[in-house]
Amino acid sequence: MGTTHSARRTWRITTAVRVFAIALVLGRALSAGGVGRVAVLILVLGLIASMASLVEGVGADGLQRWVPVVESLLVGAVVAADPARDEAILLYLAVPPLVAGIRHGWLLATNAFLVSAAAVLVGSRLSSDPPSIDVLQSVGFWLVTGLGIGVLAGVQTRSIRTLEQSQAPYVATHQLMSQLHDLASRGEVGLDSVKLSTELVGRLRDGTGAVDVAVYGHAWGPPLVQLAGHGDTTSLSSHAVGTNHPRVHDVLVVGLRGAGHQLGSVVLRRPGGWNADSRAIAQTVADEFALRLDTAVLFDEVRRLATAEERKRIAREMHDGVAQELVALGYLVDEIASVSDEAETLALADTMRQEISRVVAEIRYSILDLRHHVAEHRLSGALADYVHQVTQDMDLRVNLVLDESGPALPPRTESELLRVAQEAIGNVRKHANADNLWVTLVSDGSTLLLEVEDDGVGNAQPKDRHWGLQSMHERAAGIEASLDVTSRDGGGTIVRLQSPPLTAATKELA
């Protein structure tokens, strides 16, 4: 987009140069009172200039590079054909080298100069009335003038083009982001891949009568990513990846074609099989959603990268700023304790030191939360590693049940699940005073369940100016899941996040 804008601007400049030169030729001819005898030549120059501008405006890039050379040849022939060698006509010799320099650089400006000079000399040799020395000097003056200005313009525009080429990706990105911002602010485009995928599943079920539907993304490469699903989708992933198996009459695979690449596919199971009408409906709905979903997936990835970078920045600021200042404050408390013999002062200093140590430890846990992330679609691995790091210094028995037998989840869903687990486990560590911690993750293609359970003091209720429970509910809603915080029989708390359960009808059909 940036390159197109630059080309149009250059075309406008060179067209203006030609128009100005033709106007100058006409003006000088009128002032000399001899326009009648060169009117035909001025008309020919006008036609040459018009054709050159037209080809430069709409012609292919390879063709455009020949325009200044051909224009130089034709202008040289016109000058040589002028029996009067009118000064007004001669000045147009400067135009082709100048235009060549502006559009293509100094080398093509030099070539245009040489072609014009050769055309004038050859034409003059063939003429029955060779030009005088004065005319040749005028010819040389205008050719050299065009060459000089063309070379200077070529050097200058080259630096401008180099700068524009380096900025072109950012210019194009800025334009696209501006359009995206305008659409999003007006509410005309959905940028949530989870909601779009869920909406696609609903539309396909309503339109085709399919009972099992799964939307798979291929954009991240292996493993296959399930963006959304309904019903028993466990066996559908093999159809999405094209595994060799007998063709099933009740299963339909519809491709999702994104912007120039295969975004993914939708696999549907319909009792009784598929006819031409139901296949056409499925394809129409998938085509309707494909580009929107592709844009949302790309936006999710941009948002994920930006969020990860911001989390790292905040973690660095916390480590290098607040944490270091608290450590320095601890040294100050130690110094106060070392210069005082009063029991009350020593007791207060000890209390302050313990509190500072607690806050520093919390900051370090927060830094761990900010930096910890899911790598290569290994949510269970990231979760197990986090639990180990958080609980290694605690007298807490940990029980992990991790089942990721289904297709990989979208990166955003994995990230939100990890953040919910971090918040829930952090609450257990800080407030529960528990002996046992149970962490369960099940993602088998039809069920998504995250459960954090403890046997502590319970009573996990929202507190003023504490947003942990609210943020967990918001994260769950963002991935089309529900979150419940309930008391555990025998004491403690259960935090359960799960995808919408199967309907009774679906269970019977499955």
Side-chain angles (χ1 to χ4, degrees):
M1 294 176 69
T3 303
T4 302
H5 176 73
S6 175
R8 289 176 179 173
R9 184 180 60 192
T10 303
W11 177 81
R12 288 194 295 266
I13 292 173
T14 55
T15 301
V17 168
R18 292 189 176 102
V19 171
F20 176 77
I22 293 295
L24 188 59
V25 169
L26 182 60
R28 294 194 60 172
L30 287 172
S31 64
V35 69
R37 53 191 175 82
V38 294
V40 174
L41 296 179
I42 294 176
L43 179 61
V44 172
L45 289 178
L47 291 174
I48 294 172
S50 299
M51 292 301 299
S53 294
L54 179 62
V55 174
E56 287 178 345
V58 300
D61 291 341
L63 182 62
Q64 290 180 13
R65 298 190 65 87
W66 285 97
V67 170
V69 176
V70 175
E71 185 179 16
S72 301
L73 180 63
L74 295 177
V75 170
V78 170
V79 170
D82 180 13
R85 273 74 179 192
D86 194 285
E87 185 73 15
I89 299 297
L90 295 181
L91 72 84
Y92 198 85
L93 288 169
V95 172
L98 173 57
V99 170
I102 294 174
R103 292 192 63 87
H104 305 290
W106 66 269
L107 182 59
L108 203 57
T110 304
N111 291 337
F113 163 79
L114 294 175
V115 169
S116 288
V120 172
L121 291 176
V122 171
S124 300
R125 288 280 186 180
L126 297 177
S127 175
S128 58
D129 183 16
S132 64
I133 298 298
D134 292 338
V135 171
L136 291 177
Q137 287 177 346
S138 295
V139 168
F141 170 78
W142 289 114
L143 285 174
V144 171
T145 299
L147 174 63
I149 300 176
V151 169
L152 290 175
V155 173
Q156 182 64 29
T157 55
R158 180 180 180 182
S159 62
I160 295 174
R161 284 195 296 268
T162 301
L163 178 62
E164 289 178 343
Q165 289 173 358
S166 65
Q167 294 179 340
Y170 301 99
V171 172
T173 301
H174 181 271
Q175 292 174 341
L176 290 173
M177 291 301 292
S178 297
Q179 294 175 3
L180 191 60
H181 176 269
D182 291 341
L183 289 172
S185 62
R186 295 198 301 266
E188 296 180 8
V189 60
L191 297 176
D192 191 316
S193 61
V194 175
K195 291 182 178 179
L196 274 176
S197 301
T198 304
E199 184 182 349
L200 171 58
V201 169
R203 287 278 300 277
L204 287 170
R205 290 175 56 222
D206 294 341
T208 66
V211 295
D212 301 325
V213 183
V215 180
Y216 297 100
H218 307 159
W220 297 283
L224 194 68
V225 176
Q226 181 173 320
L227 298 174
H230 178 86
D232 183 11
T233 62
T234 307
S235 62
L236 299 184
S237 60
S238 62
H239 298 270
V241 297
T243 304
N244 292 327
H245 52 71
R247 182 178 178 86
V248 182
H249 77 284
D250 62 346
V251 174
L252 175 66
V253 181
V254 179
L256 289 172
R257 187 71 181 173
H261 66 282
Q262 184 72 20
L263 170 66
S265 56
V266 182
V267 185
L268 308 94
R269 180 179 286 112
R270 182 174 183 264
W274 295 86
N275 54 38
D277 290 340
S278 58
R279 288 174 182 272
I281 293 173
Q283 187 66 62
T284 300
V285 174
D287 290 343
E288 177 187 341
F289 275 80
L291 187 57
R292 293 168 57 194
L293 187 57
D294 193 14
T295 304
V297 168
L298 180 60
F299 186 78
D300 276 349
E301 181 65 12
V302 172
R303 179 167 50 191
R304 183 188 67 81
L305 293 173
T307 302
E309 185 60 32
E310 183 64 9
R311 294 177 70 91
K312 290 179 182 177
R313 186 193 67 80
I314 295 174
R316 288 195 300 268
E317 293 294 333
M318 292 175 64
H319 179 271
D320 298 338
V322 179
Q324 300 304 321
E325 292 178 5
L326 285 172
V327 170
L329 186 60
Y331 292 144
L332 180 60
V333 172
D334 291 340
E335 187 174 347
I336 292 174
S338 68
V339 298
S340 176
D341 296 329
E342 296 182 8
E344 185 177 353
T345 301
L346 293 175
L348 183 59
D350 185 61
T351 302
M352 290 183 63
R353 186 185 300 109
Q354 292 179 18
E355 185 64 15
I356 290 172
S357 297
R358 185 192 68 80
V359 174
V360 170
E362 290 299 327
I363 289 177
R364 287 173 177 164
Y365 282 123
S366 297
I367 292 173
L368 173 62
D369 288 353
L370 288 168
R371 286 191 171 274
H372 207 70
H373 65 280
V374 181
E376 298 179 356
H377 293 293
R378 293 186 63 254
L379 175 59
S380 57
L383 189 56
D385 183 53
Y386 177 78
V387 172
H388 172 72
Q389 293 187 56
V390 169
T391 61
Q392 60 181 344
D393 296 327
M394 300 174 59
D395 186 16
L396 186 67
R397 288 185 295 274
V398 179
N399 305 274
L400 288 174
V401 177
L402 305 175
D403 176 14
E404 283 192 284
S405 57
L409 299 170
R412 180 184 166 200
T413 301
E414 291 179 326
S415 177
E416 298 290 42
L417 288 172
L418 178 61
R419 302 308 172 201
V420 170
Q422 286 177 337
E423 181 67 30
I425 294 168
N427 288 337
V428 174
R429 176 181 57 79
K430 290 183 284 188
H431 308 301
N433 193 25
D435 295 321
N436 291 277
L437 170 68
W438 294 269
V439 179
T440 301
L441 172 67
V442 178
S443 175
D444 59 9
S446 59
T447 301
L448 175 60
L449 172 68
L450 172 66
E451 195 171 79
V452 178
E453 180 179 355
D454 70 84
D455 59 356
V457 298
N459 192 31
Q461 298 298 324
K463 300 178 178 61
D464 291 340
R465 294 190 295 256
H466 290 74
W467 310 103
L469 290 177
Q470 180 177 337
S471 68
M472 286 194 292
H473 280 286
E474 291 172 349
R475 290 184 184 278
I479 57 174
E480 299 291 311
S482 61
L483 185 129
D484 298 304
V485 181
T486 58
S487 297
R488 177 180 175 273
D489 293 339
T493 303
I494 301 175
V495 177
R496 180 180 294 110
L497 181 152
Q498 58 186 353
S499 60
L502 297 175
T503 62
T506 303
K507 288 180 180 179
E508 293 175 2
L509 289 171

